[in-house]
């Protein structure tokens, strides 16, 4: 297993899976077994980018504009 795969499986879920699934269902679609994991990874990427932007602007507080 690669380091990237190991890292992705050890990350805590930051989203509420049942809420995401309910939203997807309300739009007339179904949720695959790996959709929640993929969305969680995207959330981590967004947060990491926001932190980088915050640091680049010499701040310690992540703001909405950093996303």
């Amino acid at each position: 297993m690669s380091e990237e795969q190991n890292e992705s499986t050890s990350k805590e879920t930051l989203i509420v899976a049942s809420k995401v699934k309910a939203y997807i269902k309300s739009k007339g679609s179904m949720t695959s077994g790996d959709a929640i994991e993929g969305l969680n990874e995207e959330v981590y990427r967004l947060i990491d980018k926001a932190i980088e932007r915050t640091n680049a602007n010499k701040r310690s507080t992540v703001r909405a504009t950093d996303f």
Side-chain angles (χ1 to χ4, degrees), residues 48-59 65-67:
D48 289 342
K49 282 178 73 174
I51 291 168
E52 287 176 18
R53 181 181 162 99
T54 300
N55 291 336
N57 288 313
K58 298 181 174 129
R59 290 185 280 111
T65 57
D66 295 317
F67 290 99

Side-chain angles (χ1 to χ4, degrees), residues 17-47:
S18 61
K19 299 284 186 181
V20 172
K21 290 178 182 181
Y23 180 73
I24 291 171
K25 186 174 184 178
S26 76
K27 297 295 183 176
S29 294
M30 298 186 336
T31 307
S32 72
D34 61 349
I36 300 302
E37 183 179 328
L39 177 58
N40 195 56
E41 285 300 313
E42 187 63 24
V43 169
Y44 270 102
R45 279 192 289 277
L46 287 168
I47 293 170

